[in-house]
Each structure stands twice: as C-alpha cells, then as structure tokens.
Amino acid sequence: MLVLLAGIFVVHIATVIMLFVSTIANVWMVGSSNFGTISTGLWLLCNKTCTQLPVSSRDEASLKAVQAFMILSIIFSVVALVLFIIQLFTLEKGKRFYVTGAVMLVCWMCILIAVSIYTARFAGTMVYSTNPHHGYCFILAWICFCFSFIISILYLVLRKK
C-alpha cells in the first residue's frame, strides 16, 4: 500500500510540473517561416524574439478561456496534492481521499475544457507560418489530462483501503 501511495504521489507531482510547463511555455503550435521556426503558446508568439500573441477579436474570448482553465487546472492540482498529504495523516481509513479525488476530477475537467477549446479554435491555424503542427506543450496538456483522470480514479478507489 505504501508503494502504491508513493507512486501516486510521484505521478501527481509530475502532473503538476507538466501542467506548469505546458501553461507557461510558448510551444503549443510550431511552424516554419522565412525567418526560421515560429512557435505560439497561450501567451506569446516567438520567433527569435517573443511578442504579444496576435489574436483576432472573435478568437480573443476563446484564448482567454483556455488561459483561465489552464491556470485553474494548476490551482486545483496543487490543492489536491496538499489535500492528499493532509488527508493521508489526519483521516482514518475508509474516509480518506474523497475530497482529493473530487478536486482532481475538477482539475481533469478544466484541462479537458482548455485543450478542447484550443483544439477547436486554434489548432492548424498559425499566423505567419507554413506547415503548422502541435508543439510539446499541447501534447503535455493531453498527457496531464490522462494522468489527472487516472490519479482521481485511484484516489477514489483508495478511499476504501
């Protein structure tokens, strides 16, 4: 049981770190241009230097929603990690990890909403670029989506042990 808890803890920390990286780094879409490689993220457009991300007025609300839900997913994931540690040492068996599992499910939903909006509105469209493709931050966000779902289900299952 101790090994299982340690494994879940390590995966949870890895998920938090990957969420931070995928939200902060500006490599959600990558493409090439006459000036070299261009990457865009949730915040900036980077070539050799980074500038404000040019977004049309009809896509601005979608980008703000993606930014907000990614930040919320980080917050909920960190809160769930703190709750896991607190509940591990304070609650008795059979009552542990209800809240932690629920908070991780909320984190999972935030990631799902953010990445789905980004996929629907921004995937494949990149300003000043040819041959755009997804960057590592977009892939990390989907990996965090999978990990957060698995972790939340494990927390809900572990409450019985």
Side-chain angles (χ1 to χ4, degrees):
M1 182 69 170
L2 187 62
V3 173
L4 181 63
L5 288 173
I8 292 172
F9 183 72
V10 168
V11 172
H12 197 147
I13 288 177
T15 302
V16 170
I17 291 169
M18 288 189 295
L19 277 172
F20 270 110
V21 170
S22 67
T23 303
I24 294 170
N26 290 303
V27 193
W28 280 63
M29 292 293 293
V30 179
S32 56
S33 74
N34 298 336
F35 305 110
T37 303
I38 296 176
S39 66
T40 60
L42 301 179
W43 314 99
L44 300 172
L45 170 78
C46 296
N47 190 0
K48 291 181 180 166
T49 61
C50 292
T51 59
Q52 185 67 33
L53 188 64
V55 180
S56 66
S57 60
R58 68 181 197 118
D59 287 337
E60 186 176 1
S62 299
L63 184 64
K64 297 285 185 198
V66 173
Q67 292 170 345
F69 278 110
M70 286 304 290
I71 290 171
L72 281 173
S73 69
I74 291 171
I75 291 169
F76 284 123
S77 185
V78 169
V79 166
L81 187 63
V82 170
L83 283 173
F84 169 71
I85 294 169
I86 291 171
Q87 289 179 346
L88 185 64
F89 295 112
T90 58
L91 295 179
E92 60 190 47
K93 289 183 179 181
K95 295 182 181 179
R96 294 182 186 154
F97 312 131
Y98 280 117
V99 178
T100 305
V103 171
M104 275 309 285
L105 279 176
V106 172
C107 171
W108 171 74
M109 282 300 288
C110 288
I111 297 169
L112 174 66
I113 293 168
V115 179
S116 297
I117 292 172
Y118 191 87
T119 302
R121 300 295 283 177
F122 301 106
T125 59
M126 197 169 160
V127 182
Y128 313 119
S129 174
T130 58
N131 192 23
H133 59 279
H134 298 293
Y136 72 89
C137 291
F138 182 79
I139 296 165
L140 275 180
W142 277 112
I143 292 170
C144 290
F145 166 76
C146 296
F147 280 177
S148 63
F149 182 71
I150 292 168
I151 291 169
S152 62
I153 296 301
L154 285 174
Y155 282 143
L156 292 174
V157 169
L158 282 177
R159 67 175 169 73
K160 296 178 183 178
K161 298 187 179 198

